[in-house]
Amino acid sequence: MNDKTRDKSPKTPETDIQDSGRRRFLGVTATVGALGMAGAGSAGLLLGGTRTAEARNSGSTQDYNVPLGELDEYYGFWSGGHSGEVRVFGVPSMREIMRIPIFNHCSASGWGTTNESKRIMGDSHRFPNGDAHHPHVSYTDGSHDGKYLFINDKANTRVARIRLDIFKCDKMTTVPNAQAIHGLRLQKVPKTNYVFCNSEYITPKPNDGRHLDNPEEYWTVWSAIDAETMEVAWQVLVDGNLDNMDADYTGKYAASTCYNSERAVHQADMMAPERDWVVIFNIERIEEAVRNGDYMTFEGDTPVVDGRKGSAVTRYVPIPKSPHGLNTSTDGKYFIAAGKLSPTVSMIEIDRLDALFADELDDPRDVIAAEPELGLGPLHTTYDGRGNAYTTLYLDSQIVKWDMEKAVRNWQGEDVDYIIQKLDVHYQPGHNHATLAESKDADGKWLFSLNKHSKDRFLPVGPLHAENDQMIDISGEEMKLVHDTPTFAEPHDAVIVRRDQINTSQIYSRDDPTFAETIAMAEADGVDVERDNKIIRDGNKVRVYMTSVAPTFGMEEFKVKQGDEVTVVVTNLDRVEDLTHGFCMTDHGISFELSPQQTASATFVADKPGVYWYYCNWFCHALHMEMGGRMLVEPA
């Protein structure tokens, strides 16, 4: 920022140090990241504040203010990054509506505490952390159908599914033979039958300690998960670290960038060659290989098809080294892979892939339609549905808008300028996403730049800064920066769909599968959870069934012995929308949410004698404070 846009507060030695530190950080960041291209990168960063102020003040063709009482046009699903959750925003207001815990434990909802959530998380419940990266909404015929949202956990090699009728996670899968699920995308056509995901890191197969120091035995896998069962259908063994990926609009192909084609285990060695590649996956050939039994197994019985270089089911397309993002253009023509260390993106023409797999091309690079030069540090690309692409330039701290067909014509020798505009963002963008831009329905209204650093954009909160997601109006000829949104713990990616594409339930159905196993346990105990308030004693195991109707629990006290394993099952009988109850047992680490008509349960050990109050911890009624009861723990 220049002096005209800075705070006019009097300068002190402390603020002088802060300012010099900020400038030093900007310069160092560009220098380290550019790997020799620091000049332009740092210039883009340092000039960004002035230019974006001009863009912001020049006015937007759309109004992003949503009046009180009115609803947003879109749902925006943001990954929660290192928090392991998904955050739901209204777009364009950028009001945060909900947080959906997935790979984390949440004391507000009880996710990770309730027996129901533990069943969904399975053995991976033991992990308290997650690194949520890529949220994607399911499809029918290339349009979002609003049924599910899928997201990956890079930290603990998991993929989860969220039901969008209740905005809750209902399935979670730990992927075998893999380590660190990074890129994740969905089959778009005819519908989302598969969830495709990349294992990023190469490891021995099987990874059982026998090849610890022999990288020649290290490989990675590309996986297809059945979207309904959430079981791994099959995997493909490949060379090198897989990064980001996408699927096409025919249902035939998917593609993934690879940034470690040399299969190295040290960073310097990963940077050796001039080129890495994009791996193209032929889904029909892979399915045929599985049907024919042409596969191997490592961990468990998951079929693993050999897709290493030279295989019939894959093709390796050389592109500049260390590529990163890969995004399918919404017209279905191109896989666009971003260069990261090259100022270019590689446009792979999907219509040429049949010829590539038929071995009719002299060179795999014959599928490259163009490699336009865009700027320093291209990472990810999104689209407006009007033939324009928008690519983040990490080192330049910019979004570049460019015309795809003009880029192809320029590559073919025509003297035509394909770059339309560059807009500074604050600072160093990773993913970007435009409204509906992961579907054939891209409408070109809003674009979000998910920036890795905010630096001086918000009130200081100590050494750890928020990230900065910026909303950009792309409805007109020029991009207009209109809004900053501070975000926490690196939300990695986002997807934005129209509100009419999602149909939510306002109360639970009593036959919801989420708590079916709990109901079955109650029935085995002879308990009707909608009517009975009852204690079942089975040795040192005690099951306490109670109802809740504002403002009372159906049971205001129960007695157990010290050392008993206590399971409390609560059913919210209220049918009023938004009348949520909670159950919190003091001094036992138990707290969970009960939405209308929901049954939930938690198990704990009553390890100390005494009186322990439980209470409703979600405000529900004028007598909410009086809604409680006692657990009486007798000494052993």
Side-chain angles (χ1 to χ4, degrees):
M1 301 172 77
N2 62 23
D3 290 337
K4 293 180 180 179
T5 59
R6 287 198 184 279
D7 186 354
K8 299 303 182 182
S9 303
K11 288 290 184 180
T12 67
E14 182 179 357
T15 57
D16 283 336
I17 292 171
Q18 290 172 344
D19 284 347
S20 65
R22 181 186 303 118
R23 289 191 293 272
R24 184 168 61 251
F25 177 74
L26 287 169
V28 169
T29 302
T31 302
V32 172
L35 297 176
M37 299 183 289
S42 59
L45 288 167
L46 291 170
L47 292 174
T50 302
R51 294 178 61 187
T52 46
E54 291 170 356
R56 184 169 60 250
N57 294 333
S58 63
S60 170
T61 60
Q62 299 184 95
D63 187 1
Y64 62 88
N65 293 302
V66 179
L68 292 174
E70 294 190 16
L71 301 179
D72 281 282
E73 185 177 359
Y74 306 92
Y75 285 96
F77 298 95
W78 261 247
S79 66
H82 315 314
S83 72
E85 63 194 14
V86 165
R87 296 168 190 161
V88 185
F89 289 86
V91 175
S93 74
M94 289 309 292
R95 297 183 288 219
E96 186 179 284
I97 305 168
M98 179 61 65
R99 293 189 173 194
I100 307 173
I102 306 171
F103 305 117
N104 56 329
H105 294 184
C106 174
S107 64
S109 66
W111 184 259
T113 299
T114 64
N115 295 324
E116 293 74 27
S117 62
K118 288 179 179 180
R119 292 182 193 120
I120 292 169
M121 299 177 84
D123 179 64
S124 72
H125 168 263
R126 70 186 191 278
F127 300 128
N129 70 308
D131 186 11
H133 274 228
H134 300 116
H136 301 292
V137 175
S138 56
Y139 296 88
T140 298
D141 294 327
S143 296
H144 293 299
D145 59 23
K147 186 176 183 181
Y148 298 125
L149 181 139
F150 300 88
I151 191 165
N152 63 302
D153 171 22
K154 180 175 176 177
N156 296 302
T157 316
R158 294 176 287 184
V159 174
R161 184 179 78 185
I162 296 169
R163 280 174 45 193
L164 291 179
D165 60 336
I166 58 173
F167 278 51
K168 301 285 188 183
C169 176
D170 78 321
K171 294 281 188 181
M172 189 176 297
T173 300
T174 298
V175 182
N177 304 311
Q179 194 166 104
I181 296 301
H182 186 209
L184 178 141
R185 290 286 183 155
L186 312 180
Q187 190 174 26
K188 300 179 175 72
V189 175
K191 64 174 185 175
T192 300
N193 293 309
Y194 291 130
V195 179
F196 299 123
C197 53
N198 292 339
S199 170
E200 182 171 350
Y201 296 120
I202 54 173
T203 59
K205 301 289 183 283
N207 191 15
D208 58 6
R210 72 182 73 174
H211 295 297
L212 294 180
D213 295 318
N214 185 8
E216 290 298 316
E217 297 295 334
Y218 290 15
W219 313 94
T220 194
V221 291
W222 184 71
S223 302
I225 298 172
D226 185 298
E228 291 299 329
T229 66
M230 286 296 285
E231 296 177 356
V232 180
W234 42 258
Q235 297 177 311
V236 181
L237 193 70
V238 295
D239 302 271
N241 292 31
L242 296 179
D243 197 351
N244 284 275
M245 64 149 301
D246 208 345
D248 70 0
Y249 282 89
T250 70
K252 294 171 63 176
Y253 298 109
S256 174
T257 53
C258 169
Y259 69 83
N260 181 23
S261 57
E262 46 279 82
R263 293 169 46 227
V265 294
H266 298 107
Q267 186 183 67
D269 298 327
M270 294 180 187
M271 308 296 294
E274 285 303 312
R275 292 188 184 276
D276 282 304
W277 52 53
V278 167
V279 184
I280 311 294
F281 297 91
N282 188 314
I283 298 165
E284 293 175 351
R285 289 193 182 185
I286 296 166
E287 291 176 324
E288 182 181 10
V290 173
R291 286 194 300 268
N292 293 339
D294 186 14
Y295 59 81
M296 62 194 89
T297 59
F298 297 115
E299 300 174 24
D301 57 1
T302 302
V304 182
V305 178
D306 192 346
R308 290 172 290 189
K309 202 167 185 180
S311 165
V313 302
T314 58
R315 291 292 183 268
Y316 289 66
V317 178
I319 62 172
K321 69 180 178 181
S322 294
H324 187 58
L326 188 140
N327 304 88
T328 307
S329 61
T330 52
D331 58 13
K333 291 183 178 180
Y334 306 108
F335 290 133
I336 296 183
K340 191 170 73 174
L341 300 186
S342 167
T344 61
V345 296
S346 299
M347 303 174 66
I348 296 174
E349 190 168 345
I350 294 172
D351 280 349
R352 298 185 191 179
L353 297 182
D354 286 348
L356 178 65
F357 276 90
D359 297 324
E360 295 172 356
L361 304 180
D362 295 330
D363 186 333
R365 279 185 56 80
D366 289 343
V367 300
I368 301 290
E371 280 186 340
E373 185 172 322
L374 301 179
L376 297 182
L379 292 186
H380 296 280
T381 301
T382 191
Y383 310 94
D384 63 11
R386 300 188 294 269
N388 301 312
Y390 301 76
T391 300
T392 55
L393 301 177
Y394 179 82
L395 297 176
D396 282 341
S397 280
Q398 291 179 323
I399 301 287
V400 55
K401 176 181 179 180
W402 55 284
D403 185 304
M404 291 183 286
E405 293 312 311
K406 286 184 178 180
V408 173
R409 287 160 50 196
N410 179 276
W411 183 259
Q412 293 171 344
E414 186 176 342
D415 186 15
V416 56
D417 188 3
Y418 49 85
I419 292 181
I420 300 171
Q421 182 191 2
K422 291 187 176 183
L423 179 72
D424 291 338
V425 292
H426 299 74
Y427 301 89
Q428 296 180 298
H431 280 270
N432 62 349
H433 189 80
T435 46
L436 296 171
E438 285 186 5
S439 73
K440 66 182 183 182
D441 306 313
D443 61 7
K445 290 187 177 181
W446 303 103
L447 179 146
F448 289 86
S449 176
L450 279 62
N451 306 318
K452 300 301 184 184
H453 303 283
S454 63
K455 300 184 182 9
D456 49 5
R457 301 291 283 187
F458 308 117
L459 286 172
V461 289
L464 179 62
H465 290 215
E467 282 76 42
N468 184 18
D469 293 350
Q470 294 187 299
M471 185 164 67
I472 299 166
D473 181 353
I474 59 170
S475 62
E477 289 301 312
E478 291 189 358
M479 296 181 283
K480 306 289 185 183
L481 176 58
V482 298
H483 193 270
D484 283 5
T485 300
T487 52
F488 174 67
E490 197 183 355
H492 198 84
D493 195 7
V495 60
I496 303 165
V497 303
R498 290 194 316 270
R499 74 181 188 212
D500 63 274
Q501 293 177 309
I502 294 177
N503 185 22
T504 62
S505 299
Q506 298 307 303
I507 64 174
Y508 272 90
S509 168
R510 286 300 304 151
D511 60 0
D512 193 286
T514 304
F515 43 82
E517 192 169 335
T518 304
I519 299 299
M521 178 184 72
E523 291 174 346
D525 282 337
V527 174
D528 181 345
V529 298
E530 296 181 59
R531 183 186 62 200
D532 297 336
N533 292 278
K534 187 180 292 188
I535 300 175
I536 304 296
R537 302 186 188 276
D538 180 13
N540 71 337
K541 297 181 186 297
V542 181
R543 292 182 288 281
V544 180
Y545 296 93
M546 69 177 77
T547 57
S548 66
V549 178
T552 61
F553 288 112
M555 186 180 296
E556 292 192 339
E557 66 179 54
F558 63 89
K559 186 177 293 185
V560 298
K561 293 184 181 299
Q562 181 183 3
D564 281 351
E565 180 186 275
V566 182
T567 298
V568 176
V569 181
V570 189
T571 299
N572 180 353
L573 295 181
D574 283 302
R575 294 180 175 272
V576 179
E577 176 183 338
D578 200 23
L579 185 47
T580 298
H581 294 303
F583 180 88
C584 181
M585 177 64 74
T586 56
D587 299 334
H588 282 77
I590 297 298
S591 174
F592 55 87
E593 158 220 350
L594 290 153
S595 291
Q597 293 293 296
Q598 181 183 6
T599 295
S601 65
T603 300
F604 59 94
V605 174
D607 56 354
K608 293 181 180 180
V611 175
Y612 298 92
W613 285 85
Y614 53 88
Y615 63 95
C616 175
N617 57 327
W618 286 75
F619 205 98
C620 61
H621 191 274
L623 294 177
H624 168 76
M625 298 301 295
E626 287 79 8
M627 185 173 175
R630 295 175 302 151
M631 178 177 71
L632 309 176
V633 183
E634 297 178 330

